[in-house]
Amino acid sequence: MTSPTLAKPAVVVARDPEAPAAVRPPRRGLLRGGWSRSLGLAVALAVLVLAVGCSLALGARPVPFGRVWDALVAARPTDPDAARDWSVVRSLRGPRTILGLLVGAALGMTGTLIQGLTRNPLADPGILGVQAGASLAVVVGINTVSIEGAMGYVWFGFAGAAVAGAVVYALGSLGRGGASPVKLALAGAAMSALLLALTQAVLLSNQATLNEYRFWAVGSLAGRESDVVRAVAPFIVVGILFGLSRGRSLNGLALGDDLARGLGLSLVWARISTALAIIVLCGAAVAGAGPIVFVGLVIPHVARSICGPDYRWILAWSLVLAPTLLLGADTLGRLIARPGEVQVGIMTAVIGTPGFIAIIRRKDLAGL
């Protein structure tokens, strides 16, 4: 008689309750080696340079690329026609293009940082209440001190974004466990709802405020002069440099809290530093160009599909792909409605909607 076979005891593996639900390994990107990623990034940079050239050359008044170059490197010409092209490039499209580069880079990096911090693949720059805070601050500024123009919006919008982001993080830090991804997302959603309700209440009570605010709220690069660029550029540059240094921390957070602690990562500092970079970047971008949607949501997924799950590479790719998308959308908006234009906030919504639909149809949406 054969002895009965004893069943092997089941092994129960404890899992971080806030770790991503997907247990299969993350999908690898199209470019898997370091050299191929670097070469691909160089190609993406070349496409970005092309987008910058098209932004400077195309619009209601097309400017030949030769004259665009002359406007960038030479003094104002004496020929009247060439002088007009020089003025268009230097005074109108130059600041607009620089602002598009800065805002696009800020939005792309913000989206990547937020999705890494919250471990939520559908997170965008509005999830921490930053955009809602900027909108309320601008409305209050218009209603109380009658601010006008993009330069007036910058400081109110930035202050509102910073305060809202700080309050959301403080609320998400209450209780046991500190600022967990779920608590941050819930606190951001609740704060956004409150701030948007207050914004609508102010707008409905004052028609003049509504008329002034609606041009900023649509999201646009038009009418932004060099003083706006100078106001937001220091914040965006510092935020980008700080955000790029968060790649290792985001890689640790993606493993779950228990594994991250085991690897020696300080969860409190990782989350606070990432949230600080998000507030600075998103606040400055929203203050300079208004709330622009879908760039921060779609671009991190595109970058991840190209370079894989390493956040150090995702941040670098987002830094290049996002301004390319924003400048391309802005240029296209100028071409399809000449001599007028379609605001870039509308164009990114139109372009980003198919990308958003593709994202939510993915089967592995539970993991990053």
Side-chain angles (χ1 to χ4, degrees):
M1 254 182 104
T2 59
S3 59
T5 303
L6 298 178
K8 294 183 178 180
V11 178
V12 180
V13 179
R15 189 175 69 87
D16 182 358
E18 291 186 354
V23 296
R24 58 181 177 276
R27 297 177 62 179
R28 301 181 66 181
L30 297 176
L31 306 179
R32 300 181 180 180
W35 283 105
S36 62
R37 290 170 178 171
S38 300
L39 181 60
L41 193 59
V43 174
L45 281 170
V47 176
L48 176 59
V49 171
L50 178 61
V52 169
C54 292
S55 177
L56 294 171
L58 303 178
R61 178 185 175 88
V63 178
F65 284 98
R67 287 190 176 180
V68 169
W69 178 254
D70 292 339
L72 296 177
V73 300
R76 185 184 182 94
T78 56
D79 177 69
D81 188 59
R84 283 193 294 270
D85 290 340
W86 188 92
S87 297
V88 167
V89 174
R90 292 289 291 267
S91 302
L92 298 177
R93 295 180 187 167
R96 180 174 185 163
T97 301
I98 295 174
L99 185 62
L101 284 170
L102 292 171
V103 171
L107 292 176
M109 181 162 288
T110 301
T112 302
L113 292 172
I114 289 179
Q115 290 180 12
L117 175 64
T118 62
R119 296 205 292 266
N120 180 356
L122 295 182
D124 69 349
I127 197 171
L128 294 184
V130 177
Q131 290 184 347
S135 298
L136 178 59
V138 169
V139 167
V140 171
I142 296 172
N143 192 53
T144 56
V145 296
S146 301
I147 60 171
E148 295 181 357
M151 190 58 197
Y153 301 152
V154 167
W155 296 108
F156 277 87
F158 184 78
V163 171
V167 171
V168 167
Y169 191 87
L171 292 175
S173 301
L174 297 176
R176 297 179 58 184
S180 66
V182 174
K183 289 164 64 178
L184 284 175
L186 293 175
M191 182 59 64
S192 295
L194 173 62
L195 295 176
L196 290 175
L198 294 175
T199 301
Q200 295 299 321
V202 176
L203 291 175
L204 292 175
S205 65
N206 191 319
Q207 183 65 36
T209 301
L210 174 61
N211 293 335
E212 182 72 21
Y213 167 79
R214 61 192 178 94
F215 292 104
W216 176 84
V218 71
S220 175
L221 301 177
R224 271 57 169 178
E225 300 178 355
S226 57
D227 55 352
V228 177
V229 176
R230 287 193 294 268
V232 302
F235 296 103
I236 293 179
V237 171
V238 171
I240 286 174
L241 294 177
F242 189 53
L244 286 173
S245 68
R246 300 298 88 205
R248 289 184 180 273
S249 297
L250 293 179
N251 285 339
L253 291 176
L255 299 175
D257 290 358
D258 290 339
L259 282 177
R261 288 193 193 95
L263 294 174
L265 179 66
S266 172
L267 297 181
V268 174
W269 168 243
R271 286 169 177 156
I272 290 178
S273 59
T274 304
L276 181 61
I278 290 169
I279 292 170
V280 172
L281 286 169
C282 191
V286 173
I292 297 177
V293 299
F294 283 110
V295 176
L297 172 63
V298 175
I299 287 298
H301 288 275
V302 176
R304 191 175 293 110
S305 67
I306 294 174
C307 64
D310 190 339
Y311 273 98
R312 293 171 296 180
W313 283 101
I314 296 173
L315 288 168
W317 274 87
S318 298
L319 191 63
V320 176
L321 295 177
T324 303
L325 172 62
L326 191 64
L327 289 178
D330 184 50
T331 304
L332 183 61
R334 281 181 263 163
L335 295 177
I336 64 176
R338 288 189 294 183
E341 65 178 78
V342 180
Q343 304 300 324
V344 69
I346 300 174
M347 293 301 302
T348 56
V350 173
I351 296 173
T353 299
F356 178 75
I357 294 174
I359 290 171
I360 63 178
R361 286 178 57 87
R362 288 182 60 168
K363 297 181 179 179
D364 60 346
L365 197 59
L368 289 177

